[in-house]
Amino acid sequence: MIKVLVADDHAIILDGICSLLGTISGLKVVGRAENGRKALELAIKLRPDVVIMDISMPELNGFEAARQIGAEVPGVRIIALSMYAEKRYVLGMLKAGVSGYLIKDCAFQELAEAISVVHRGGTYLSPKIADTVRKALLDSIEETPMTVSEELTERERQVLQRMAEGVKTRDIAEELHVSVKTVETYRASIMQKLNLYSVAELTKFAVREGLTPLEK
């Protein structure tokens, strides 16, 4: 029995995926999450075989959720299911450790196949992004410098996401179990690295880089 956890912040998509997966013999949906942080909590608690995850989610985006789930749940296989086919999203999730990447307009049969493939230890990439990955591999032959967002540490990306979502400094400190002064230090470092010095500029950057959801 393949145990699957599904994470998506759109209720109608979450309901639809779970309902369709429930029709597959030998597969069981053991959990569902409406944000990245909940997905991480459930993954640690339920130990699923496969996690199907959106990228643009509140509280903890798909990039960070995938990294942390992979670290906390050895052997789990993660499939990104996203509306984005752009290079930075695909490569970002692959670097975060996902084993599959599908576009949301794919047929359900393709999702079922992807689950089967990654559960067996393989990798599944939607045909629509195969060319993107091929070109990226060719480009990687020549060493390229890190992007600005890659220069941020994991904790700085977490702080940036929560800032962009409008969370107050004190609340960020409580979530991350650090002091307010520490969060302020992270904020100063983020601003210096990005050369951005207003919340509005940081928010636009976070949305553009996929670190926080687009406005609904």
Side-chain angles (χ1 to χ4, degrees):
M1 181 69 69
I2 302 175
K3 297 183 296 181
V4 179
L5 170 65
V6 184
D8 196 295
D9 63 328
H10 291 84
I12 191 169
I13 294 177
L14 186 60
D15 290 342
I17 294 174
C18 290
S19 294
L20 289 170
L21 292 179
T23 66
I24 300 178
S25 176
L27 185 151
K28 181 179 181 181
V29 176
V30 295
R32 45 187 290 164
E34 66 281 357
N35 61 64
R37 192 169 302 282
K38 184 67 173 180
L40 174 61
E41 292 173 356
L42 289 178
I44 294 173
K45 177 181 178 180
L46 302 174
R47 302 283 164 168
D49 300 305
V50 177
V51 177
I52 300 171
M53 179 182 297
D54 189 14
I55 295 177
S56 183
M57 295 187 294
E59 297 196 27
L60 196 66
N61 63 64
F63 301 110
E64 296 304 325
R67 288 189 187 98
Q68 294 187 40
I69 289 174
E72 295 289 343
V73 189
V76 69
R77 309 289 284 179
I78 303 173
I79 297 174
L81 182 62
S82 174
M83 62 184 289
Y84 302 114
E86 289 89 344
K87 177 180 176 179
R88 67 176 182 270
Y89 294 106
V90 177
L91 297 187
M93 288 302 281
L94 290 175
K95 288 178 181 178
V98 303
S99 301
Y101 195 110
L102 298 176
I103 305 302
K104 281 188 174 180
D105 64 358
C106 71
F108 174 64
Q109 183 177 358
E110 184 179 357
L111 175 58
E113 180 181 357
I115 293 172
S116 177
V117 169
V118 302
H119 183 250
R120 295 196 305 268
T123 299
Y124 189 97
L125 300 176
S126 168
K128 292 186 177 182
I129 65 167
D131 193 51
T132 297
V133 176
R134 181 185 65 81
K135 289 179 179 178
L137 289 173
L138 291 176
D139 291 342
S140 68
I141 293 175
E142 297 182 5
E143 186 174 354
T144 57
M146 291 192 301
T147 64
V148 175
S149 62
E150 288 175 333
E151 292 179 0
L152 299 179
T153 65
E154 180 174 327
R155 183 49 62 90
E156 286 172 345
R157 286 194 296 269
Q158 292 173 350
V159 171
L160 174 58
Q161 178 180 355
R162 302 306 277 144
M163 286 174 57
E165 291 174 351
V167 180
K168 295 180 179 179
T169 300
R170 185 172 300 278
D171 292 332
I172 296 175
E174 290 182 0
E175 286 185 17
L176 301 181
H177 305 293
V178 298
S179 68
V180 170
K181 186 175 181 179
T182 297
V183 174
E184 291 174 344
T185 300
Y186 283 129
R187 181 174 60 194
S189 176
I190 292 167
M191 288 180 169
Q192 183 176 13
K193 287 182 179 181
L194 300 182
N195 196 28
L196 300 173
Y197 296 97
S198 73
V199 174
E201 289 178 319
L202 290 173
T203 299
K204 289 179 181 178
F205 177 86
V207 170
R208 187 173 67 248
E209 292 297 310
L211 296 177
T212 196
L214 297 170
E215 292 183 358
K216 302 288 190 294

